[in-house]
Amino acid sequence: MELRHLRYFVAVAEERHFGRAADRLRMAQPPLSQQIKQLEEQLGTLLLARTTRKVELTPAGELLLERGRRILEELESLESDVAQVGSGVKGILRIGFTGSATYRLMPRVVREAKEQLPGLQLKVRGEMLTPQLISGLEEHVLDVGVLRPPVDSDRLELRPLERDELIAALPHDHPLAAEERLSLQQLAGEQFISYPRDSVVYRIFMEACRKAGFAPSVVQEARETSTLLSFVAAGTGVALIPAATRTFSLAGTVFRPLADPPAVELAVAWRAGDQRPMLARFIELMQEISQPMKDQTS
């Protein structure tokens, strides 16, 4: 059965008249009658009971009309969806966020994408480390990653989003909590809670302590910022975290800026060569969202 035969049949079945169906299809009536006859011959059954006054459907014709309508509607929907995906109006993107961006940037991204890109379906994962995000992108598990540079991969493209300073997180009853601003040297004798050793923030934290003249005593590692701050609140130690994480409020924890703070960057990454229009539109949206947030924290 050819698609054109199905279109012709549905038109005749709905109009119950060959002349009106021919006008609807913008074709002559004799060729239309021939096409319906060919369809009946291909299927080996009578679909229409013709009289001089009207056209009636046989039981087989009723079935073909019911199923044929659904097929044509699905085809029309498919054509529309394919066109919209091709133009960047519709699509699915799998996005992962590094730890601190999960709390501040992710809610805004999800909200703005819903408003500005209603045809986009986001599948979101949060609290990921940069190495996880890189492998997720390279292995086609993710389409977009919000991560901490540097990234040593020629298979990915990056655009910077913002720069964030590290701040100190302390238990609320810590003696240094009374200070308005701290130097790293004041934390030299403290026990630290840190992100895992394979995280970018960990490497920057360790380098900053080295420049300050000491090697920090790390007593606990935590992948999730929420877990890390829970250890701080429990008095297990202090931590250096991106300033954006202050939006994650946890009782028993206070935050203090550093006099000469080390900084971490945030970037959006995707696979090189991925030229989907929806992806390009989403990257632009990410940059629009991060700019005002950057201004608020500067």
Side-chain angles (χ1 to χ4, degrees):
M1 182 191 304
E2 296 183 23
L3 185 59
R4 61 187 175 87
H5 286 147
L6 186 58
R7 293 188 189 277
Y8 295 158
F9 171 77
V10 169
V12 174
E14 288 180 344
E15 296 293 342
R16 295 294 202 275
H17 192 279
F18 275 90
R20 291 194 297 269
D23 291 340
R24 171 173 154 181
L25 295 168
R26 297 182 180 179
M27 63 186 298
Q29 182 175 335
L32 176 59
S33 298
Q34 293 173 5
Q35 294 294 325
I36 298 299
K37 185 177 180 181
Q38 287 179 12
L39 177 61
E40 290 177 323
E41 291 174 351
Q42 289 174 6
L43 296 176
T45 187
L46 190 67
L47 300 172
L48 301 172
R50 306 162 179 81
T51 68
T52 55
R53 295 184 178 181
K54 59 182 179 179
V55 174
E56 295 290 347
L57 295 175
T58 65
E62 293 281 2
L63 174 62
L64 183 58
L65 175 60
E66 177 186 350
R67 299 276 291 275
R69 278 172 170 163
R70 292 206 299 266
I71 292 171
L72 293 177
E73 288 172 0
E74 177 63 24
L75 179 62
E76 183 177 346
S77 176
L78 176 61
E79 290 174 347
S80 175
D81 288 347
V82 169
Q84 291 185 58
V85 169
S87 64
V89 177
K90 277 189 174 183
I92 298 174
L93 290 178
R94 301 159 299 173
I95 180 170
F97 287 84
T98 190
S100 57
T102 303
Y103 302 104
R104 190 169 71 101
L105 187 58
M106 186 179 77
R108 178 82 180 274
V109 169
V110 173
R111 182 171 65 251
E112 292 295 330
K114 183 178 181 180
E115 293 179 2
Q116 299 189 38
L117 303 173
L120 172 62
Q121 180 183 349
L122 281 181
K123 296 186 176 182
V124 181
R125 292 182 60 188
E127 289 280 17
M128 300 180 70
L129 297 178
T130 291
Q132 291 178 292
L133 291 163
I134 293 172
S135 62
L137 290 167
E138 291 181 335
E139 295 169 10
H140 292 249
V141 175
L142 296 173
D143 300 303
V144 183
V146 180
L147 45 70
R148 301 283 183 195
V151 172
D152 184 20
S153 174
D154 58 4
R155 297 166 61 186
L156 303 181
E157 293 186 36
L158 275 77
R159 284 190 192 173
L161 293 178
E162 57 190 53
R163 189 173 181 271
D164 203 2
E165 296 178 345
L166 296 186
I167 59 173
L170 310 167
H172 73 99
D173 57 354
H174 192 285
L176 292 176
E179 302 285 337
E180 291 186 5
R181 186 178 295 271
L182 301 173
S183 68
L184 267 179
Q185 287 83 355
Q186 287 177 278
L187 300 174
E190 299 293 333
Q191 293 184 321
F192 281 86
I193 316 299
S194 81
Y195 293 100
R197 296 173 185 270
D198 58 347
S199 74
V200 172
V201 176
Y202 176 88
R203 296 199 298 270
I204 292 173
F205 152 62
M206 294 296 289
E207 177 62 17
C209 292
R210 186 192 65 79
K211 289 181 178 179
F214 70 96
S217 172
V218 176
V219 296
Q220 182 70 51
E221 294 183 4
R223 286 187 173 274
E224 298 82 16
T225 302
S226 56
T227 304
L228 183 150
L229 292 178
S230 295
F231 281 118
V232 173
T236 307
V238 301
L240 295 189
I241 61 175
T245 314
R246 286 179 298 187
T247 58
F248 184 83
S249 179
L250 188 66
T253 303
V254 296
F255 304 107
R256 294 293 180 264
L258 298 172
D260 187 17
V264 291
E265 295 180 349
L266 194 68
V268 58
W270 65 97
R271 281 182 300 281
D274 190 340
Q275 299 180 353
R276 285 176 292 171
M278 176 58 78
L279 175 64
R281 294 182 60 171
F282 182 74
I283 299 302
E284 292 175 1
L285 177 63
M286 288 284 297
Q287 292 186 293
E288 292 172 5
I289 291 171
S290 66
Q291 184 60 48
M293 299 185 81
K294 185 192 305 182
D295 296 341
Q296 292 171 12
T297 57
S298 60

